[in-house]
Amino acid sequence: MKSLNRREALVFSAVTGGLLLMTPTGAFANAGDAMKTMEEFTGGKPVGDSKLIALEMPEIAENGNTVPLAISVESPMTPDSYVKRVIIISEGNPRPEVATFNFSPLSGVAEASTRMRLAKTQNVIAIAELSDGSLHMAKRQVKVTIGGCGG
Amino acid sequence: MAKSKPRVKAPKKAAKGDIVTIKTLISHKMETGLRKDKKTGEIIPRRIINKFVAQFNGKDIFSVDIDPSISANPYFQFKMRAEESGEFAFIWTDDNGEVHTKKSKLKVS
């Protein structure tokens, strides 16, 4: 291969540089995007793993199109002390946001379940915000055999 | 797309103070907006149910802000403490503005 002269080298770097800029950061959300969504939810406050919140998902999901998910948060659920909302975040789907559950003291217990899509094996995170402003997190890894976001 | 059909399983009777379980499901494709039409190569526009609200006697008891990662035919199960007789209202909102509502009565003794 012949060596590039100055002009060619400039053009070459401009083109590849441009390509790099244009390439989306990956069609799939990475842990970084998930972190951003987490920060938006928590307002940058630190959040640690907590025993108050439980996130139940299967260890292995054969079909990523519909994976059961259940959350429960320990709380008296009275007007003085209740769970305000719980966000579900995926680390490996095209978009990190999955859903936000909004509870009220009328809920009685902070428990909900649904079914979600998983594009590939990944971590799923649930963060609960309580009425006193405290944050509680749970994380689960789910192995996916067939991804569920279509081609 | 086939018409969305909401389905709800909520108790008709409860004792005061009981925690009742409510199950809801609506038939909906939940098109993510990320899939491509295999023939034309064009992206199929997003169309999902983006909000679900459950009310009792006009007050919100539980709601969900929904993103495309929720599976087709979105299913939600949740609970409520039965304090008084009244009526549930379940409301689903589609990206295209369509609203689906279903009601159910609860008698508390």
Side-chain angles (χ1 to χ4, degrees):
Chain A
M1 186 181 124
K2 82 175 170 95
S3 65
L4 302 169
N5 64 30
R6 196 177 131 82
R7 176 181 293 235
E8 278 168 354
L10 273 174
V11 170
F12 182 68
S13 65
V15 167
T16 48
L19 276 180
L20 280 177
L21 282 177
M22 273 170 0
T23 313
T25 45
F28 290 101
N30 47 36
D33 282 344
M35 277 298 273
K36 225 191 270 168
T37 308
M38 260 173 81
E39 272 166 24
E40 270 165 30
F41 183 82
T42 61
K45 278 195 281 179
V47 46
D49 289 334
S50 165
K51 286 212 167 74
L52 281 183
I53 177 166
L55 169 64
E56 268 177 62
M57 292 189 81
E59 232 169 85
I60 297 172
E62 273 183 25
N63 180 354
N65 271 315
T66 167
V67 185
L69 170 159
I71 48 152
S72 63
V73 189
E74 256 178 63
S75 161
M77 295 305 274
T78 60
D80 297 327
S81 169
Y82 65 98
V83 179
K84 273 171 113 173
R85 47 190 195 141
V86 177
I87 191 171
I88 309 293
I89 299 169
S90 117
E91 282 190 355
N93 277 6
R95 300 259 154 86
E97 306 91 354
V98 177
T100 308
F101 299 103
N102 305 293
F103 293 97
S104 73
L106 294 166
S107 302
V109 262
E111 278 180 33
S113 55
T114 185
R115 298 173 190 141
M116 72 172 287
R117 293 173 169 139
L118 286 172
K120 57 177 184 181
T121 297
Q122 58 177 284
N123 288 326
V124 177
I125 301 164
I127 308 173
E129 184 190 8
L130 273 51
S131 54
D132 63 5
S134 65
L135 298 163
H136 305 270
M137 182 171 82
K139 201 187 243 189
R140 277 306 274 267
Q141 197 201 39
V142 185
K143 293 195 173 80
V144 177
T145 324
I146 304 166
C149 276
Chain B
M1 193 176 85
K3 207 171 167 346
S4 293
K5 192 174 170 236
R7 275 188 286 166
V8 170
K9 208 170 184 182
K12 300 260 180 289
K13 282 187 283 185
K16 191 174 160 61
D18 270 4
I19 302 282
V20 296
T21 302
I22 300 126
K23 294 175 184 178
T24 69
L25 185 135
I26 186 163
S27 56
H28 197 285
K29 238 180 139 179
M30 298 293 278
E31 193 57 63
T32 61
L34 301 163
R35 293 194 318 141
K36 278 183 184 160
D37 187 312
K38 282 201 177 103
K39 279 184 201 138
T40 63
E42 275 171 42
I43 286 178
I44 306 168
R46 175 183 133 153
R47 187 174 162 201
I48 65 167
I49 296 283
N50 58 47
K51 183 89 188 173
F52 168 71
V53 182
Q55 298 178 332
F56 189 71
N57 288 344
K59 279 191 217 146
D60 283 14
I61 45 174
F62 174 79
S63 71
V64 192
D65 306 314
I66 307 166
D67 288 287
S69 282
I70 290 295
S71 302
N73 306 328
Y75 161 84
F76 297 107
Q77 182 188 319
F78 53 94
K79 311 230 170 176
M80 185 187 81
R81 187 185 289 128
E83 293 288 359
E84 51 176 3
S85 297
E87 193 176 44
F88 290 107
F90 306 99
I91 306 146
W92 293 260
T93 312
D94 193 305
D95 270 348
N96 71 0
E98 264 175 51
V99 177
H100 307 275
T101 310
K102 190 137 182 141
K103 291 186 172 172
S104 152
K105 283 199 167 73
L106 174 72
K107 201 174 167 204
V108 173
S109 48

